[in-house]
Each structure stands twice: as C-alpha cells, then as structure tokens.
Amino acid sequence: VQLQASGGGLVQAGDSLRLSCAASGLTFSRYAVGWFRQAPGKERELVAFIARSASSTYYRDSVKGRFTISRDNAKKAAYLQMNDLGPEDTAVYYCAADHRILSDDRPSFGDYDYWGRGTQVTVSS
C-alpha cells in the first residue's frame, strides 16, 4: 500500500495550492481520508477529513472557508484545495487512509491505517 502526497511548494501569502494524494495497493473507496500537517516544533494536527463516500467532511476551525477536501474514488485520489494561504499554514502535509464501513463517517484525529510521505508547504509573508 502506498499513499503519495504531492503538490506542495513555496508560495506567498494569499496564494493557493492544491495537494494531491495518490493511493495504490488498496481498495481506495473503502477508506476515509485525512489530511494532516505538522509544523516545526508542533504536534501533528488533522486539517481535513473526508468519509469514504464523501458523505461527510471535517475541517479544523483555522482552515474552514479556505480549504476544501475532495476525492475521486475512480482515480484513487484525494485532494486538498488550499486558498488564501498564510504563514501559519506552513508545514509538512500528509495524507492518511483509514478503513471504514460505509456508515462510519466520523472524523478520526490520529488512528489511521496507512500514511503517506509528506509534502512541504511553505508560505512566505
């Protein structure tokens, strides 16, 4: 099983980025997906979550209205559209997959089955 996050980069405050998470080796549609980030010296935090059927989503307060999580089960991919980025969004971003029954659409804040390697997002002021 592999999860590969991509799309990070160095941008200026107010810019946008779209992160992608490509999955292989698993039945992607059976997994909920979370996007996490970890800034230097800080704990990893859940940024956004999407249920396996996209029936529900979750966003941490600091990104609501700016970030949008989505998925394409046919392409085995999940995305995180990030708009109006600020220096506080600087971090390594990770995607993670958590096997779920269809009816379980609750966000999970740390216990995921698979984790991908991160992609660096740096926002300059």
Side-chain angles (χ1 to χ4, degrees):
V1 174
Q2 282 193 330
L3 297 175
Q4 181 62 55
S6 62
L10 172 63
V11 297
Q12 294 185 332
D15 285 350
S16 299
L17 280 175
R18 188 192 194 210
L19 304 184
S20 298
C21 176
S24 61
L26 76 170
T27 304
F28 186 66
S29 61
R30 295 180 180 177
Y31 289 77
V33 173
W35 280 99
F36 290 78
R37 67 186 180 189
Q38 187 166 21
K42 294 187 177 181
E43 293 188 353
R44 184 180 65 197
E45 60 186 21
L46 178 66
V47 176
F49 167 92
I50 187 165
R52 54 179 274 183
S53 65
S55 57
S56 73
T57 56
Y58 161 89
Y59 300 93
R60 68 181 302 105
D61 287 346
S62 60
V63 307
K64 284 181 181 178
R66 300 188 298 123
F67 291 13
T68 303
I69 190 170
S70 61
R71 65 187 296 158
D72 185 334
N73 286 342
K75 294 183 178 180
K76 294 188 175 182
Y79 309 96
L80 186 67
Q81 177 67 43
M82 306 186 296
N83 298 329
D84 192 22
L85 286 160
E88 67 278 11
D89 298 312
T90 294
V92 178
Y93 284 71
Y94 302 87
C95 60
D98 189 32
H99 188 269
R100 298 289 189 87
I101 60 174
L102 186 58
S103 60
D104 185 0
D105 58 1
R106 301 165 298 168
S108 177
F109 293 85
D111 189 14
Y112 284 70
D113 295 308
Y114 302 107
W115 292 82
R117 299 178 67 178
T119 184
Q120 176 71 47
V121 173
T122 303
V123 185
S124 63
S125 57

